[in-house]
Amino acid sequence: MERFKTVIESETIFTELMVPGYANFGDKVHGGIILSIMDKVAYATAVKHCEGYVVTIGVDAVEFHKPVEIGNLLTLKSRVNYVGRTSMIVGIRAESTHIKTGEITHSNTAFFTMNMKSENEHDRVPGLILQSQDDIRRFAEGLYMKQIGSEKRKILKSDFIEKTQEEILAQIASERMQLAM
């Protein structure tokens, strides 16, 4: 019997203080630190949904809207937006809170594709119970993202694997590059 879970059952909210050790050369939080925290939160969200071991197989549409200041609280809000047979797309919204003023800034957005790992090839990720227009929109966006990813891989494979070196050079000749070989 196929299982289904609500989006709310997998929602995860995680907050961490941004400490000086997270700083980049511009005295802001390094983007790699934020991505690392996002990956952990995506993992926790996916595990809550499928109740099994998962791995990250892709990160899409990472957006850095505003820098995160050292000393701020970074809050990540995540949820499973889309499920396939063994994969899930987890959407994450990051917000930075200035401790003294309470001002909240939307700093980052990302979508992580997580894959459930199981020794039983018949195991499936639970389906999603969509309870709002927002749930429906996010699920449809996830399906679209999955389709775009498949199309992108097909195009890259057909355009570059099957072309000769000369055909590829002709294709990139008008771009901002120089050959040094």
Side-chain angles (χ1 to χ4, degrees):
M1 179 179 201
E2 190 165 7
R3 298 179 303 144
F4 288 84
K5 289 180 145 184
T6 65
V7 171
I8 294 167
E9 291 177 79
S10 70
E11 283 184 333
T12 303
I13 298 174
F14 177 82
T15 301
E16 184 171 341
L17 175 66
M18 298 294 99
V19 296
Y22 291 173
N24 62 18
F25 293 111
D27 287 327
K28 309 292 185 205
V29 176
H30 191 286
I33 297 290
I34 295 170
L35 282 171
S36 176
I37 297 169
M38 285 180 149
D39 187 47
K40 293 173 195 170
V41 171
Y43 177 88
T45 304
V47 164
K48 284 169 67 174
H49 184 75
C50 77
E51 300 170 1
Y53 179 66
V54 299
V55 295
T56 304
I57 58 172
V59 183
D60 291 309
V62 178
E63 297 173 358
F64 291 86
H65 304 291
K66 301 275 183 178
V68 177
E69 304 288 334
I70 299 301
N72 283 7
L73 294 175
L74 184 68
T75 300
L76 303 179
K77 299 174 180 179
S78 69
R79 55 183 273 157
V80 174
N81 288 348
Y82 172 83
V83 296
R85 217 172 23 87
T86 60
S87 65
M88 297 156 274
I89 295 178
V90 175
I92 301 177
R93 176 186 173 98
E95 297 175 341
S96 177
T97 303
H98 189 279
I99 293 174
K100 291 181 181 176
T101 67
E103 180 184 355
I104 298 173
T105 305
H106 178 196
S107 60
N108 305 83
T109 305
F111 297 93
F112 282 70
T113 301
M114 310 300 287
N115 197 55
M116 180 179 72
K117 294 294 183 186
S118 174
E119 293 177 12
N120 181 351
E121 65 184 51
H122 300 293
D123 282 348
R124 300 288 180 256
V125 169
L128 272 182
I129 299 170
L130 308 178
Q131 298 178 301
S132 70
Q133 292 296 325
D134 195 41
D135 290 350
I136 294 167
R137 178 185 55 79
R138 288 172 188 253
F139 192 90
E141 286 173 352
L143 176 60
Y144 187 63
M145 288 172 68
K146 180 181 175 183
Q147 291 168 341
I148 289 171
S150 295
E151 274 305 304
K152 182 171 58 175
R153 286 187 292 281
K154 284 180 195 172
I155 290 168
L156 289 173
K157 185 174 184 178
S158 66
D159 278 3
F160 295 106
I161 292 177
E162 297 172 3
K163 285 188 176 181
T164 66
Q165 179 84 14
E166 291 77 25
E167 290 171 322
I168 293 171
L169 286 171
Q171 186 174 354
I172 66 171
S174 64
E175 297 298 318
R176 292 184 44 87
M177 63 87 188
Q178 263 185 350
L179 291 178
M181 40 186 263

Coordinates of all heavy atoms in Angstrom, one line a residue, residues 39-110:
D39 N 22.5 22.3 3.0 CA 22.6 20.8 2.7 C 22.2 20.0 3.9 O 21.5 19.0 3.8 CB 24.0 20.5 2.2 CG 24.1 19.1 1.7 OD1 23.2 18.7 0.9 OD2 25.0 18.4 2.1
K40 N 22.6 20.4 5.1 CA 22.3 19.6 6.3 C 20.8 19.7 6.5 O 20.1 18.7 6.9 CB 23.0 20.2 7.5 CG 24.5 19.9 7.4 CD 25.2 20.6 8.5 CE 26.7 20.6 8.3 NZ 27.4 21.5 9.2
V41 N 20.2 20.9 6.3 CA 18.8 21.1 6.6 C 18.0 20.3 5.5 O 16.9 19.7 5.8 CB 18.4 22.6 6.6 CG1 16.9 22.8 6.6 CG2 19.1 23.2 7.8
A42 N 18.4 20.3 4.3 CA 17.8 19.5 3.2 C 17.8 18.1 3.6 O 16.8 17.4 3.4 CB 18.4 19.8 1.9
Y43 N 18.9 17.6 4.1 CA 19.0 16.2 4.5 C 18.0 15.9 5.6 O 17.3 14.9 5.5 CB 20.4 15.9 5.0 CG 20.6 14.5 5.6 CD1 21.0 13.5 4.7 CD2 20.4 14.2 6.9 CE1 21.1 12.2 5.2 CE2 20.6 12.9 7.4 CZ 20.9 11.9 6.5 OH 21.0 10.6 7.0
A44 N 17.9 16.7 6.6 CA 17.0 16.5 7.7 C 15.6 16.5 7.2 O 14.8 15.6 7.7 CB 17.2 17.6 8.8
T45 N 15.2 17.4 6.3 CA 13.9 17.5 5.8 C 13.5 16.2 5.0 O 12.4 15.6 5.2 CB 13.7 18.7 4.9 OG1 14.1 19.9 5.7 CG2 12.3 18.9 4.4
A46 N 14.4 15.8 4.2 CA 14.2 14.6 3.3 C 14.1 13.3 4.2 O 13.2 12.5 3.9 CB 15.3 14.4 2.3
V47 N 14.9 13.2 5.2 CA 14.9 12.1 6.1 C 13.5 12.0 6.9 O 12.9 11.0 7.0 CB 16.1 12.1 7.1 CG1 15.9 11.2 8.3 CG2 17.4 11.8 6.4
K48 N 13.1 13.2 7.3 CA 11.8 13.3 8.0 C 10.7 12.8 7.1 O 9.7 12.1 7.5 CB 11.5 14.7 8.4 CG 12.2 15.1 9.7 CD 12.1 16.6 10.0 CE 10.8 17.0 10.4 NZ 10.8 18.5 10.8
H49 N 10.8 13.1 5.8 CA 9.7 12.7 4.8 C 9.8 11.2 4.5 O 8.8 10.5 4.6 CB 9.8 13.5 3.6 CG 8.7 13.1 2.6 ND1 7.4 13.6 2.8 CD2 8.6 12.4 1.5 CE1 6.6 13.1 1.9 NE2 7.3 12.4 1.1
C50 N 11.0 10.7 4.2 CA 11.0 9.3 3.7 C 11.4 8.3 4.8 O 11.3 7.1 4.6 CB 12.0 9.1 2.6 SG 13.7 9.2 3.0
E51 N 11.8 8.8 6.0 CA 12.2 7.9 7.1 C 13.3 6.9 6.7 O 13.2 5.7 7.1 CB 11.0 7.2 7.7 CG 9.9 8.2 8.2 CD 8.6 7.5 8.5 OE1 8.5 6.3 8.4 OE2 7.7 8.3 8.9
G52 N 14.2 7.4 6.0 CA 15.3 6.5 5.6 C 16.6 7.4 5.2 O 16.5 8.6 5.3
Y53 N 17.6 6.7 4.8 CA 18.9 7.4 4.4 C 18.7 8.1 3.1 O 18.1 7.5 2.1 CB 20.0 6.3 4.4 CG 21.3 6.9 4.0 CD1 22.0 7.8 4.8 CD2 21.9 6.5 2.8 CE1 23.2 8.3 4.5 CE2 23.1 7.0 2.4 CZ 23.8 7.9 3.3 OH 25.0 8.4 2.9
V54 N 19.2 9.3 3.0 CA 19.2 10.0 1.7 C 20.6 10.6 1.4 O 21.4 10.8 2.3 CB 18.1 11.2 1.8 CG1 16.8 10.6 2.0 CG2 18.5 12.2 2.8
V55 N 20.7 11.0 0.1 CA 21.9 11.7 -0.3 C 21.5 12.8 -1.2 O 20.5 12.8 -1.8 CB 22.9 10.8 -1.1 CG1 23.5 9.6 -0.2 CG2 22.2 10.2 -2.3
T56 N 22.4 13.9 -1.2 CA 22.1 15.0 -2.1 C 22.6 14.6 -3.5 O 23.7 14.2 -3.7 CB 22.9 16.2 -1.6 OG1 22.6 16.5 -0.3 CG2 22.7 17.4 -2.5
I57 N 21.7 14.8 -4.5 CA 22.1 14.5 -5.9 C 22.2 15.7 -6.7 O 22.7 15.7 -7.8 CB 21.3 13.4 -6.5 CG1 19.8 13.8 -6.6 CG2 21.5 12.1 -5.8 CD1 19.0 12.8 -7.4
G58 N 21.7 16.9 -6.2 CA 21.7 18.1 -7.0 C 21.3 19.3 -6.2 O 20.5 19.2 -5.3
V59 N 21.8 20.4 -6.6 CA 21.4 21.7 -6.0 C 21.1 22.6 -7.2 O 21.9 22.9 -8.0 CB 22.5 22.3 -5.1 CG1 22.1 23.6 -4.5 CG2 23.0 21.3 -4.1
D60 N 19.9 23.1 -7.2 CA 19.4 23.9 -8.3 C 19.0 25.3 -7.8 O 18.5 25.5 -6.6 CB 18.2 23.3 -9.0 CG 18.6 22.1 -9.7 OD1 19.5 22.1 -10.5 OD2 17.9 21.0 -9.5
A61 N 19.1 26.3 -8.7 CA 18.5 27.6 -8.4 C 19.0 28.2 -7.1 O 18.1 28.8 -6.4 CB 17.0 27.6 -8.5
V62 N 20.2 28.1 -6.8 CA 20.7 28.7 -5.6 C 20.8 30.2 -5.8 O 21.4 30.7 -6.8 CB 22.1 28.3 -5.2 CG1 22.6 29.0 -4.0 CG2 22.1 26.8 -4.9
E63 N 20.1 31.0 -5.0 CA 20.1 32.5 -5.2 C 20.6 33.1 -3.9 O 20.2 32.8 -2.8 CB 18.7 32.9 -5.5 CG 18.1 32.4 -6.8 CD 16.6 32.7 -7.0 OE1 16.0 33.3 -6.1 OE2 16.1 32.3 -8.1
F64 N 21.5 34.1 -4.1 CA 22.0 34.9 -3.0 C 21.4 36.3 -3.1 O 21.9 37.1 -3.9 CB 23.5 34.9 -3.1 CG 24.2 33.6 -2.8 CD1 24.4 32.7 -3.7 CD2 24.6 33.3 -1.5 CE1 25.0 31.4 -3.5 CE2 25.2 32.1 -1.2 CZ 25.4 31.1 -2.2
H65 N 20.3 36.5 -2.4 CA 19.6 37.8 -2.5 C 20.3 38.9 -1.8 O 20.5 40.0 -2.3 CB 18.2 37.6 -2.0 CG 17.4 36.5 -2.6 ND1 17.0 36.6 -3.9 CD2 17.0 35.3 -2.2 CE1 16.3 35.5 -4.2 NE2 16.3 34.7 -3.2
K66 N 20.7 38.7 -0.6 CA 21.3 39.7 0.3 C 22.4 39.0 1.1 O 22.3 37.9 1.5 CB 20.3 40.3 1.3 CG 19.1 40.9 0.7 CD 19.4 42.3 0.3 CE 18.1 43.0 -0.3 NZ 18.3 44.3 -0.6
P67 N 23.5 39.7 1.4 CA 24.6 39.1 2.2 C 24.1 38.9 3.7 O 23.2 39.7 4.1 CB 25.7 40.2 2.2 CG 25.1 41.4 1.7 CD 23.9 41.1 0.9
V68 N 24.7 37.9 4.3 CA 24.4 37.7 5.7 C 25.5 38.2 6.6 O 26.7 37.9 6.3 CB 24.2 36.1 5.9 CG1 23.9 35.8 7.4 CG2 23.0 35.6 5.1
E69 N 25.2 39.0 7.5 CA 26.2 39.6 8.4 C 26.6 38.7 9.5 O 25.8 37.9 10.1 CB 25.6 40.9 9.0 CG 25.0 41.9 8.0 CD 26.1 42.6 7.3 OE1 27.3 42.7 7.8 OE2 25.8 43.1 6.2
I70 N 27.9 38.8 9.9 CA 28.4 38.1 11.0 C 27.6 38.6 12.3 O 27.4 39.8 12.4 CB 29.9 38.3 11.2 CG1 30.7 37.8 10.0 CG2 30.4 37.7 12.5 CD1 30.5 36.3 9.7
G71 N 27.2 37.8 13.2 CA 26.5 38.2 14.4 C 25.0 38.1 14.2 O 24.2 38.1 15.2
N72 N 24.5 37.9 13.0 CA 23.1 37.7 12.7 C 22.7 36.2 13.0 O 23.5 35.3 13.0 CB 22.7 38.0 11.3 CG 22.6 39.5 11.1 OD1 23.0 40.3 11.9 ND2 22.2 39.9 9.9
L73 N 21.4 36.0 13.2 CA 20.9 34.6 13.2 C 20.4 34.3 11.8 O 19.7 35.1 11.1 CB 19.7 34.6 14.2 CG 19.9 34.8 15.6 CD1 18.6 34.8 16.4 CD2 20.9 33.7 16.2
L74 N 20.8 33.1 11.3 CA 20.4 32.6 10.0 C 19.3 31.5 10.3 O 19.6 30.6 11.0 CB 21.6 32.1 9.2 CG 21.2 31.6 7.8 CD1 20.8 32.8 6.9 CD2 22.4 30.8 7.2
T75 N 18.1 31.7 9.8 CA 17.1 30.8 9.9 C 16.7 30.2 8.6 O 16.5 30.9 7.6 CB 15.8 31.4 10.5 OG1 16.1 31.9 11.8 CG2 14.7 30.4 10.7
L76 N 16.8 28.8 8.5 CA 16.4 28.1 7.3 C 15.1 27.5 7.5 O 14.9 26.7 8.4 CB 17.5 27.1 6.9 CG 18.9 27.6 6.8 CD1 19.9 26.5 6.5 CD2 19.0 28.7 5.7
K77 N 14.2 27.7 6.5 CA 12.9 27.1 6.5 C 12.8 26.2 5.3 O 13.0 26.6 4.1 CB 11.8 28.1 6.4 CG 11.9 29.1 7.6 CD 10.9 30.2 7.5 CE 10.9 31.1 8.7 NZ 10.0 32.3 8.6
S78 N 12.6 24.9 5.5 CA 12.6 24.0 4.4 C 11.4 23.0 4.4 O 10.8 22.8 5.5 CB 13.9 23.1 4.4 OG 13.9 22.2 5.5
R79 N 11.1 22.5 3.2 CA 10.0 21.6 3.1 C 10.2 20.8 1.8 O 10.9 21.2 0.9 CB 8.7 22.4 3.0 CG 8.7 23.4 1.9 CD 7.5 24.3 1.8 NE 6.6 23.6 1.0 CZ 5.3 23.8 1.0 NH1 4.8 24.7 1.8 NH2 4.5 23.2 0.2
V80 N 9.6 19.6 1.8 CA 9.6 18.8 0.6 C 8.5 19.4 -0.4 O 7.3 19.5 0.0 CB 9.3 17.3 0.8 CG1 9.1 16.5 -0.5 CG2 10.3 16.7 1.7
N81 N 9.0 19.8 -1.5 CA 8.0 20.4 -2.5 C 7.5 19.5 -3.5 O 6.4 19.6 -4.1 CB 8.8 21.6 -3.3 CG 9.0 22.8 -2.4 OD1 8.5 22.9 -1.3 ND2 9.8 23.7 -2.9
Y82 N 8.3 18.4 -3.9 CA 8.0 17.5 -4.9 C 8.6 16.2 -4.6 O 9.7 16.1 -4.0 CB 8.6 18.0 -6.3 CG 8.4 17.0 -7.4 CD1 7.2 16.9 -8.1 CD2 9.5 16.1 -7.7 CE1 7.1 15.9 -9.1 CE2 9.3 15.2 -8.7 CZ 8.1 15.1 -9.4 OH 8.0 14.2 -10.4
V83 N 7.9 15.1 -4.9 CA 8.5 13.7 -4.8 C 8.3 13.0 -6.1 O 7.3 13.1 -6.8 CB 7.8 12.9 -3.6 CG1 8.1 13.6 -2.3 CG2 6.3 12.7 -3.9
G84 N 9.3 12.2 -6.4 CA 9.3 11.2 -7.5 C 9.2 9.8 -6.8 O 8.7 9.6 -5.7
R85 N 9.8 8.9 -7.5 CA 9.8 7.5 -7.0 C 10.7 7.4 -5.8 O 10.4 6.8 -4.8 CB 10.2 6.6 -8.2 CG 9.5 5.2 -8.2 CD 9.8 4.4 -9.5 NE 11.1 4.8 -10.2 CZ 12.3 4.2 -9.9 NH1 12.4 3.4 -8.9 NH2 13.3 4.6 -10.6
T86 N 12.0 7.8 -6.0 CA 13.0 7.7 -5.0 C 13.6 9.1 -4.7 O 14.5 9.2 -3.8 CB 14.1 6.7 -5.3 OG1 14.7 7.2 -6.5 CG2 13.6 5.3 -5.5
S87 N 13.2 10.1 -5.4 CA 13.8 11.4 -5.2 C 12.8 12.4 -4.6 O 11.6 12.2 -4.7 CB 14.4 11.9 -6.5 OG 13.4 12.2 -7.4
M88 N 13.3 13.5 -4.1 CA 12.5 14.6 -3.5 C 13.2 15.9 -3.8 O 14.4 16.0 -3.8 CB 12.4 14.5 -2.0 CG 11.8 13.3 -1.4 SD 12.3 12.9 0.2 CE 13.8 11.9 -0.1
I89 N 12.4 16.9 -4.1 CA 13.0 18.3 -4.2 C 12.6 19.0 -2.9 O 11.4 19.1 -2.6 CB 12.5 19.0 -5.5 CG1 13.0 18.3 -6.7 CG2 13.0 20.5 -5.5 CD1 12.5 18.9 -8.0
V90 N 13.6 19.5 -2.2 CA 13.5 20.2 -1.0 C 13.7 21.7 -1.3 O 14.8 22.0 -1.7 CB 14.4 19.7 0.1 CG1 14.3 20.5 1.4 CG2 14.2 18.2 0.4
G91 N 12.7 22.5 -1.0 CA 12.9 24.0 -1.1 C 13.3 24.6 0.2 O 12.8 24.2 1.3
I92 N 14.3 25.5 0.1 CA 14.8 26.1 1.3 C 14.8 27.7 1.2 O 15.2 28.2 0.2 CB 16.2 25.7 1.7 CG1 16.3 24.2 1.9 CG2 16.8 26.4 2.9 CD1 17.7 23.6 2.1
R93 N 14.3 28.3 2.2 CA 14.3 29.8 2.3 C 15.2 30.1 3.5 O 14.9 29.7 4.6 CB 12.9 30.3 2.4 CG 12.9 31.8 2.6 CD 11.4 32.3 2.9 NE 11.4 33.7 3.3 CZ 11.1 34.7 2.4 NH1 10.8 34.4 1.2 NH2 11.1 36.0 2.8
A94 N 16.2 31.0 3.3 CA 17.0 31.4 4.3 C 16.7 32.9 4.7 O 16.6 33.7 3.8 CB 18.5 31.3 3.9
E95 N 16.6 33.2 6.0 CA 16.4 34.5 6.4 C 17.4 34.9 7.5 O 17.7 34.1 8.4 CB 15.0 34.6 7.0 CG 13.9 34.3 6.1 CD 12.5 34.3 6.7 OE1 12.4 34.2 7.9 OE2 11.5 34.5 5.9
S96 N 17.9 36.1 7.4 CA 18.9 36.6 8.3 C 18.2 37.6 9.2 O 17.6 38.5 8.8 CB 20.0 37.3 7.5 OG 21.0 37.9 8.4
T97 N 18.4 37.4 10.5 CA 17.8 38.3 11.5 C 18.9 39.1 12.3 O 19.8 38.5 12.8 CB 17.0 37.5 12.6 OG1 16.0 36.7 11.9 CG2 16.3 38.4 13.6
H98 N 18.8 40.4 12.2 CA 19.7 41.3 12.9 C 19.3 41.2 14.4 O 18.1 41.5 14.8 CB 19.6 42.7 12.4 CG 20.7 43.6 13.0 ND1 20.6 44.2 14.2 CD2 21.9 44.0 12.4 CE1 21.7 44.9 14.4 NE2 22.5 44.8 13.4
I99 N 20.2 40.8 15.3 CA 19.9 40.5 16.7 C 19.4 41.8 17.4 O 18.4 41.7 18.1 CB 21.1 39.9 17.4 CG1 21.3 38.5 16.9 CG2 20.8 39.8 18.9 CD1 22.6 37.8 17.4
K100 N 20.0 42.9 17.2 CA 19.6 44.1 17.9 C 18.4 44.8 17.4 O 17.6 45.3 18.2 CB 20.8 45.1 17.9 CG 22.0 44.7 18.7 CD 23.1 45.7 18.6 CE 24.3 45.2 19.4 NZ 25.4 46.2 19.3
T101 N 18.1 44.8 16.1 CA 17.0 45.5 15.5 C 15.8 44.6 15.3 O 14.7 45.0 15.2 CB 17.3 46.2 14.2 OG1 17.6 45.2 13.2 CG2 18.5 47.1 14.4
G102 N 16.1 43.3 15.2 CA 15.0 42.3 14.8 C 14.6 42.3 13.4 O 13.7 41.6 13.0
E103 N 15.3 43.1 12.6 CA 15.0 43.2 11.1 C 15.3 41.8 10.5 O 16.4 41.2 10.7 CB 15.9 44.2 10.4 CG 15.6 44.3 9.0 CD 16.5 45.4 8.3 OE1 17.3 46.1 9.0 OE2 16.4 45.5 7.0
I104 N 14.4 41.3 9.7 CA 14.5 40.0 9.0 C 14.7 40.3 7.5 O 13.9 41.0 6.9 CB 13.3 39.1 9.3 CG1 13.2 38.8 10.8 CG2 13.4 37.8 8.4 CD1 12.0 38.0 11.1
T105 N 15.7 39.7 6.9 CA 16.0 39.8 5.5 C 16.0 38.5 4.8 O 16.7 37.5 5.3 CB 17.4 40.5 5.3 OG1 17.5 41.7 6.0 CG2 17.7 40.7 3.9
H106 N 15.3 38.4 3.7 CA 15.4 37.1 2.9 C 16.7 37.1 2.2 O 17.0 37.9 1.3 CB 14.2 37.1 1.9 CG 14.2 35.9 1.0 ND1 13.5 35.9 -0.1 CD2 14.8 34.7 1.1 CE1 13.6 34.7 -0.7 NE2 14.4 34.0 0.0
S107 N 17.6 36.2 2.6 CA 19.0 36.2 2.1 C 19.2 35.2 1.0 O 20.0 35.5 0.1 CB 20.0 36.0 3.2 OG 19.7 34.7 3.9
N108 N 18.6 34.0 1.1 CA 18.9 33.0 0.1 C 17.7 32.1 -0.2 O 16.8 32.0 0.7 CB 20.0 32.0 0.6 CG 21.3 32.8 1.0 OD1 21.4 33.3 2.1 ND2 22.2 32.8 0.1
T109 N 17.7 31.5 -1.4 CA 16.7 30.5 -1.7 C 17.5 29.4 -2.5 O 18.5 29.7 -3.2 CB 15.7 31.1 -2.7 OG1 15.1 32.2 -2.1 CG2 14.6 30.0 -3.0
A110 N 17.1 28.1 -2.3 CA 17.7 27.0 -3.0 C 16.8 25.8 -3.1 O 15.9 25.7 -2.2 CB 19.0 26.6 -2.3

